[in-house]
């Protein structure tokens, strides 16, 4: 183990000395610890209670701590079926996509993924599925994203297929524009020339599910003057911005289609033939991009382990802090709300004491806890920085103790 | 006699009536009807509807109860699944004619939280929707009006959910270890099992010899009409396309599932083939909960290799090649 890893271990151990895990039913969860080489080096661990878990974390100070969203009768049994699955929380894992900021995740990347997480909660979980915010834990992953845990009993017994259905609803994999938009356009003969008469029926803002989502999103894009996001040309967009009231009335007025269905007459928005393309763009714009990858999805694969909230992430030295306001505190500090959550400000947990370091890899300017930006550091620079920031640089492998 | 319970013999109230009327009939009368009912359900996938005479109604109820007994004795999951589906379809024919109130009370007994809305619509709680969702494309969650944790359904859709809840209730084999069944009952079971639709090429001669235990298990579950998870389905698909077997041979394996649909399965297999997915390792299979304890992949507590490499090692056959 390097000098730095030893030093970090000591810091993590001190952190866990006064720490309590913010999750329920510790005794029924499986835990996994990582080392400096791999994020989950040992799994199938179990602890009889919170105290035993924190004592073990203080002793071993692992750089990564994961736990199961699943509840088991025998969390330490192997192989998996012997654990006897008793249910699982419903988990959503949102990660910022790759960007030039690389391992020093930038403020814009965090802002984007924070926005997606808020949309997952405010546009899907609460209004559609009727899940209350009291039934959720939201936490920063410690790295580039957020985790949402729905912990209420109503989700515990959801089977894999049902969890998958939920994912495919949210990431729009199961959404088909054909069910959202009806093209009843036809040709008529007028003064000896054939002329196309457009007729498009689409969702009403008062509709439930994806239908209503699409109509509401369109209206929101008009209100916020963001129609460029779905490829509407400038001139047409301006026209709609100027007539917001009319657009709203159109999408609120129920009309009967030939088949008896009740729809809004989208033809009146005046986009002639481009509705199909625009609806595709609207779906993309409205969905929350949760990956449905077989090998990494934590929502439907309940045997996967995920970051333990409030534990230290060895890749940043940040705490995977809770960020929804349920009165939880971390060492007396109240939980920040996700809307205001800024990892570089809220997730460092170590002191401001000065620490001397040597830079071994170029470091860009990053956000500091104070809200200021750090300097850029060149390779081989000798610097003195706050303790928490030194830990961040060591965890990133960008600096060593001087 | 009110035929209500003969239309829905899976409801609790039917049991009382069965107890009451059983002494009025001979065992042979009852078992003959039960055999007809089972053989029709297993062979043709349908159960005839009830006559209107009191005797017809009573024997119908008794035949259902006796048929359940045969299913328990026969311990055949595939048969149970097929019968449950056929009985569910039969119930649906009667549901169509029920009042809204009756429909709701049947739903309630089946633990379906269905309620009536204005305008002829029905409401179903989101989690009940997921639990009892029929397999048809039109029931994809994304196509449905859902708000505040409630999905709005038409009367016809509501009936479909009640049918599905009934099917799920009947697709459960009660396990009884210490019960002795009469040879007559066991015989009826055997005859009915013989009527289960057969796939053209039996899989046994390949599976028992070449496939590793994890794959045999998935195939077994599938044959028994159990709901196999997405990962299991995917792993089996990758395994089979990697195995070098012909498409018809592979399809014949899937054909033994009660849910088999040739076009969908073919499409999915072609997709797996084109994507050139790599076989998940046995260690990964273990984390999916799909690995089996009696597998040659186990070396000193750890799992080595993939189901593909382990099939070859186990049997020495060279037909199964790991594709690079
Ligand atoms: Zn970035």
């Amino acid at each position: 183990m390097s000098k730095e890893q030893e030093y970090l271990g000591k810091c993590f151990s001190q952190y866990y000395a006064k720490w309590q895990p913010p999750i329920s039913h510790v005794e029924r969860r499986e835990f996994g610890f990582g080392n400096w080489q791999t994020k989950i080096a040992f799994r199938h661990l179990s602890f009889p209670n919170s105290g035993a878990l924190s004592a073990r974390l203080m002793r071993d100070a692992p750089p990564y701590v994961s736990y199961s969203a699943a509840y088991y009768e025998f969390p330490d049994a192997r192989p998996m079926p012997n654990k006897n699955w008793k249910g699982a929380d419903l988990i959503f894992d949102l990660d910022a996509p790759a960007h030039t900021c690389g391992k020093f995740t930038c403020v814009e990347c965090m802002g984007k993924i924070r926005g997606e997480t808020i949309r997952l909660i405010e546009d899907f979980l609460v209004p559609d599925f009727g899940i209350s915010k009291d039934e959720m834990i939201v936490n920063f992953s410690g790295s580039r994203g957020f985790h949402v845990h729905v912990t209420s009993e109503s989700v515990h017994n959801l089977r894999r297929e049902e969890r998958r259905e939920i994912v495919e609803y949210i990431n729009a994999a199961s959404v088909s524009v054909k069910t959202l938009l009806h093209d009843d356009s036809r040709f008529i003969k007028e003064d000896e020339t054939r002329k196309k008469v457009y007729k498009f029926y689409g969702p009403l803002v008062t509709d439930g599910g994806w239908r209503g989502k699409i109509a509401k999103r369109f209206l929101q894009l008009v209100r916020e003057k963001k129609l460029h996001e779905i490829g509407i040309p400038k001139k047409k967009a301006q026209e709609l911005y100027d007539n917001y009231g009319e657009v709203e009335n159109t999408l609120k007025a129920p009309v009967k289609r030939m088949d008896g269905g009740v729809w809004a007459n989208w033809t009146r928005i005046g986009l002639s033939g481009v509705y199909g393309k625009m609806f595709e763009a609207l779906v993309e714009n409205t969905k929350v991009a949760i990956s449905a990858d077989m090998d990494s999805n934590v929502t439907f694969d309940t045997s996967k382990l995920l970051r333990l909230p409030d534990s230290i992430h060895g890749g940043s030295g940040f705490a995977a802090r809770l960020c929804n306001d349920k009165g939880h505190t971390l060492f007396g500090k109240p939980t920040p709300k996700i809307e205001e959550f800024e990892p570089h400000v809220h997730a460092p947990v170590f002191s401001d004491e000065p620490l001397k370091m040597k830079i071994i890899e170029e470091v860009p300017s990053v956000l500091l806890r104070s809200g200021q930006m750090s300097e850029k550091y060149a390779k081989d620079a000798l610097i003195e920085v706050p303790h928490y920031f030194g830990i961040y640089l060591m965890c990133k492998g960008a600096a060593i103790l001087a | 006699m009110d035929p209500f319970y003969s239309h829905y013999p899976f409801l609790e109230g039917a049991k009382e009536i069965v107890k009451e009327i059983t002494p009025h009939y001979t065992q042979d009368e009852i078992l003959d009807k039960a055999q007809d009912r089972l053989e029709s359900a297993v062979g043709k996938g349908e159960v005839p509807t009830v006559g209107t005479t009191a005797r017809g109604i009573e024997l119908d109820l008794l035949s259902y109860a006796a048929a359940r007994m045969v299913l328990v004795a026969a311990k055949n999951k595939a048969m149970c699944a097929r019968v449950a589906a056929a009985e569910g379809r039969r119930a649906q024919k009667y549901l169509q004619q029920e009042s809204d109130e009756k429909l709701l009370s049947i739903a309630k007994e089946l633990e379906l939280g269905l309620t009536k809305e204005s305008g002829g619509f029905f409401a179903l709680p989101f989690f009940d929707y997921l639990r009892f969702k029929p397999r048809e494309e039109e029931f994809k969650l994304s196509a449905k009006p859902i708000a505040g944790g409630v999905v709005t359904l038409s009367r016809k859709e509501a009936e479909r959910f009640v049918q599905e809840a009934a099917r799920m209730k009947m697709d459960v084999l009660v396990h009884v270890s210490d019960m002795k069944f009469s040879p007559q009952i066991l015989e009826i079971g055997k005859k009915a099992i013989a009527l289960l639709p057969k796939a053209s090429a039996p899989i046994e001669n390949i599976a028992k010899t070449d496939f590793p235990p994890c794959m045999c298990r998935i195939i077994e579950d599938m044959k028994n009409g159990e709901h196999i998870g997405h990962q299991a389905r995917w792993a089996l698909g990758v395994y089979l396309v990697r195995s070098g077997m012909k498409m018809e041979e592979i399809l014949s394996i899937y054909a033994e599932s009660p849910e088999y649909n040739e076009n969908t399965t073919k499409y999915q297999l072609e997709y797996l083939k084109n994507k050139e997915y790599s076989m998940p390792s046995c260690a990964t299979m273990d984390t999916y909960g799909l690995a089996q304890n009696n597998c040659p992949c186990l070396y000193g507590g750890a799992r080595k290799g993939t189901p593909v490499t382990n099939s070859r090692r186990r049997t020495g056959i060279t037909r199964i090649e790991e594709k690079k």
Side-chain angles (χ1 to χ4, degrees), chain A residues 79-81 127-130 154-155 159-162 164-166 168-169 174-175 208-210 294-295 301 303, chain B residues 126-127 130-131 133 140-142 144-150 168 227 229-231 234 286-289 293 303:
Chain A
M80 292 308 284
D128 290 356
F129 304 159
S154 50
V155 305
R159 290 164 300 183
R160 187 188 295 264
E161 281 306 301
E162 295 160 4
R164 193 183 171 81
E165 179 95 22
I166 291 175
E168 292 186 344
Y169 179 88
S174 63
V175 174
W210 263 95
M294 245 350 151
D295 272 342
D301 188 352
S303 68
Chain B
F126 172 59
F127 291 111
L130 286 179
R131 185 165 150 222
K133 192 174 80 79
K140 279 259 176 219
L141 194 56
S142 56
K144 288 284 167 262
I146 166 171
V150 170
M168 284 167 72
H227 189 75
H230 206 89
Q231 263 158 350
W234 174 73
D286 197 358
T287 67
Y288 292 169
N293 285 337
R303 293 196 187 268

